[in-house]
Amino acid sequence: MNAYDVLVSNQKFAVIGMSDDTTRYSYRVFNKLLDYDKTVYGINPRLNHVDEHTIYQDLTSIEDDIDIAVLMVNPKIGIHYLESIKNKNIPYLWIQPGAQSDEIISKAKTLGLKVIESCVLREYKAKEIKAVISDLDETLLQKDKTISEVNLRGIQALKEKGIYFIVATGRPFYSIRETLDTLDLYGPEDLSISYNGGMIHHNQTKEILSVNKLDNDLANWIYQLGLDEGVCMHIYVENQTYAYNMNDEEREHVKNFEGMVEQNHQSLSFLKDQPILKVLFQNLDMDYLHSLEDKIPSEIKDKLEISYSSSRYMEFNPKGVSKGAAVEFVAKYLNIKIDDILAIGDNLNDLGMLKISGVSGAPLNAHEAIKEVAIYNSNKNYDEGAVYDILKKTKVI
C-alpha cells in the first residue's frame, strides 16, 4: 500500500512528540487526524493535556492497541522509541520529515516495523486540492512561450482528477488564448486571471467576471513619470496594449505577444474613453525600477498596487488588485476553500497568491522572496517542467 492508503485504512494513531504550540507540525498532524475521525493519542513526557485531550507520558501508558506510531521528534530522541513501538506490537512506523535518520530506519527494519517516510499533512492535502493556479511566464511557459510535454501531462492528469487548472498572469486575457487552446481550458467552470488580478474571465464564454481599472488621471500621472524617466512603457486596455519608447531588446521579448501597438503620445488622453487596466515600466535594471518608488508621492502610491515581474517590469495596478485577491474571488466563485488551492509562481507579483493559498510552489528560477514563502521549491526551472515537478512533490498527481 502507498502512504495515503495506509493512512485511510488504519484507525488508531500515536503522535510521538505532541506539542501544545498550535504552529508546530505535531499539533497540526494531531488535529488533522482528528478531522478525519481517527483515534489519536499524543505522546510527550512534559505535557499532561493539550486542549481537551489527555497527553500520555509514553506508549506503555496507552491501554488501547495502536496501528501507526507517528514519529515527530529529533532522531536522537526518536531512536529510543523503537523498542517500545515493537513491544506494543504497533505494525507501522510513520516518520515525519525531520524525524528520520539512517540509524532509525535501519533499526526499525531490523525490528520488523513497516516504515513509511512521508508527511501526514501532505498526504491528506494532496487529496484535498481542488484547484491549481499557476503563473505563466517563467513558471509554466518555457522560454519560447510554449508548454513542455511534461507540464502538459501534469495538467492533463489534474483535469482527469477533476481538479481545476487556472492561469494567473500579469498579461491581458486576449494574449493568452494560445495557452488556453493548448491546454483546452474551455470547460464550463474554467477561468483565467489576467492583469495581475485586474480581470477575471470565464474562458468558454469570455464573460468578464471581475474588472478593476485605473482612474484615468492616476494612469496619466504614472505615464508622465515614465515620460520624465524615459522608460519603455506598456499601457493596457481590454483588447489592446500600447507601447511607448520601445527598445530593440523589448521588441524581441514581446515579438510573440498579440495586440501590441507602438505609439508616441505625450499623454493618455487618446484613451479617455477606454478603461485602462494596467501600466508598466520596462527596464533591465531592477534596482533602478525599485528606486522609482521613491519618486511617487504617498498620496499617489496609496492608490496603487505596485509589483515587479520577469526581472524587467515594474507594474501598476489599482489599489486592492493582486493575484492574491483574485484567488479569493475564484475560491468564492467555484465554492472551494482557499486552503484547497495550490498556487505556483516565480516572481513578486505572485507573492500574494502564494501567501494566501493553502499550498504553494515555486520553480528553481523563482525570486528569493518567493522561495521563502513557497512550501514546495522545485529543483527544476521553468524550462525543465517545474510545474509538473511541483504537482508530483505535492502528490496532487
Side-chain angles (χ1 to χ4, degrees):
M1 287 192 292
N2 62 34
Y4 180 75
D5 290 339
V6 170
L7 269 183
V8 299
S9 61
N10 287 278
Q11 178 60 33
K12 299 176 182 179
F13 292 74
V15 175
I16 300 171
M18 179 60 181
S19 174
D20 56 359
D21 183 344
T22 59
T23 66
R24 298 295 294 270
Y25 277 99
S26 58
Y27 182 95
R28 294 169 59 192
V29 165
F30 185 93
N31 282 280
K32 176 60 74 173
L33 290 167
L34 289 177
D35 288 344
Y36 279 85
D37 297 321
K38 303 297 185 181
T39 303
V40 193
Y41 300 93
I43 310 293
N44 189 324
R46 295 189 297 276
L47 294 174
N48 294 315
H49 292 86
V50 173
D51 300 331
E52 74 278 14
H53 305 288
T54 298
I55 303 301
Y56 295 83
Q57 302 298 297
D58 50 47
L59 287 166
T60 59
S61 304
I62 302 172
E63 295 181 2
D64 201 359
D65 291 335
I66 301 295
D67 300 316
I68 300 177
V70 183
L71 200 61
M72 303 197 68
V73 292
N74 185 290
K76 293 180 180 178
I77 299 172
I79 192 75
H80 300 296
Y81 280 93
L82 299 189
E83 292 286 352
S84 58
I85 292 171
K86 173 64 176 177
N87 293 338
K88 196 165 174 60
N89 296 314
I90 300 174
Y92 286 101
L93 172 64
W94 186 294
I95 306 176
Q96 282 283 124
Q100 76 275 21
S101 72
D102 292 340
E103 184 182 8
I104 284 178
I105 293 169
S106 176
K107 184 173 180 178
K109 290 181 177 179
T110 299
L111 292 171
L113 300 174
K114 299 172 184 176
V115 177
I116 296 173
E117 295 180 79
S118 188
C119 173
V120 170
L121 297 176
R122 182 173 67 179
E123 294 293 341
Y124 276 127
K125 179 53 71 177
K127 304 301 179 182
E128 295 168 354
I129 292 298
K130 301 294 189 298
V132 175
I133 301 181
S134 176
D135 174 55
L136 290 184
D137 300 307
E138 288 87 52
T139 299
L140 175 66
L141 301 183
Q142 300 178 111
K143 189 174 293 183
D144 63 1
K145 305 304 179 186
T146 62
I147 303 172
S148 67
E149 287 299 321
V150 68
N151 280 345
L152 282 171
R153 289 202 306 272
I155 295 166
Q156 182 59 37
L158 288 177
K159 294 168 69 176
E160 289 171 359
K161 295 177 72 172
I163 297 172
Y164 300 109
F165 186 79
I166 299 166
V167 299
T169 180
R171 290 203 263 138
F173 177 72
Y174 72 79
S175 74
I176 64 172
R177 284 177 294 199
E178 184 175 348
T179 297
L180 299 182
D181 290 346
T182 301
L183 297 174
D184 190 24
L185 293 179
Y186 294 107
E189 293 185 300
D190 283 335
L191 311 178
S192 291
I193 298 166
S194 56
Y195 296 110
N196 291 326
M199 292 187 86
I200 300 173
H201 280 82
H202 185 279
N203 297 347
Q204 188 183 80
T205 65
K206 297 183 174 57
E207 177 189 358
I208 299 172
L209 303 178
S210 174
V211 61
N212 292 274
K213 68 181 183 68
L214 282 166
D215 174 83
N216 279 43
D217 289 339
L218 182 61
N220 199 59
W221 191 96
I222 298 165
Y223 190 72
Q224 294 303 315
L225 174 63
L227 291 176
D228 292 343
E229 292 293 324
V231 296
C232 169
M233 290 184 281
H234 299 178
I235 302 91
Y236 295 88
V237 295
E238 184 180 350
N239 294 308
Q240 195 83 61
T241 302
Y242 295 94
Y244 175 86
N245 197 26
M246 287 281 275
N247 52 70
D248 291 341
E249 203 282 336
E250 181 66 1
R251 285 191 187 92
E252 177 65 21
H253 184 73
V254 301
K255 65 182 181 182
N256 294 320
F257 291 179
E258 297 179 34
M260 185 162 285
V261 177
E262 292 192 45
Q263 53 81 31
N264 60 1
H265 293 276
Q266 295 303 297
S267 79
L268 295 183
S269 59
F270 73 103
L271 296 177
K272 63 181 180 179
D273 297 323
Q274 297 192 60
I276 298 171
L277 297 162
K278 187 179 75 169
V279 176
L280 68 74
F281 294 171
Q282 183 271 330
N283 195 287
L284 296 180
D285 185 343
M286 291 303 292
D287 289 337
Y288 164 70
L289 288 179
H290 279 278
S291 74
L292 295 182
E293 284 202 43
D294 294 334
K295 299 189 176 186
I296 304 174
S298 58
E299 63 270 20
I300 297 292
K301 192 180 292 188
D302 288 345
K303 300 175 183 178
L304 296 168
E305 295 290 346
I306 301 174
S307 59
Y308 299 86
S309 65
S310 299
S311 300
R312 64 193 303 120
Y313 295 132
M314 178 182 194
E315 307 197 21
F316 302 92
N317 281 100
K319 191 69 176 178
V321 169
S322 70
K323 291 186 181 182
V327 168
E328 289 186 291
F329 180 95
V330 164
K332 289 180 181 177
Y333 184 86
L334 295 175
N335 194 28
I336 60 178
K337 298 176 183 176
I338 291 177
D339 274 354
D340 296 344
I341 293 174
L342 162 61
I344 307 172
D346 74 289
N347 221 308
L348 296 178
N349 61 335
D350 301 314
L351 199 55
M353 73 175 185
L354 267 65
K355 283 183 174 180
I356 198 172
S357 299
V359 187
S360 54
L364 180 63
N365 54 281
H367 191 286
E368 286 304 314
I370 292 291
K371 290 181 179 180
E372 289 176 8
V373 168
I375 298 173
Y376 296 98
N377 283 292
S378 175
N379 60 1
K380 298 185 181 297
N381 67 34
Y382 68 103
D383 255 344
E384 299 171 329
V387 168
Y388 177 83
D389 184 58
I390 292 165
L391 295 178
K392 295 296 285 186
K393 282 182 183 295
T394 55
K395 300 196 173 184
V396 177
I397 60 171

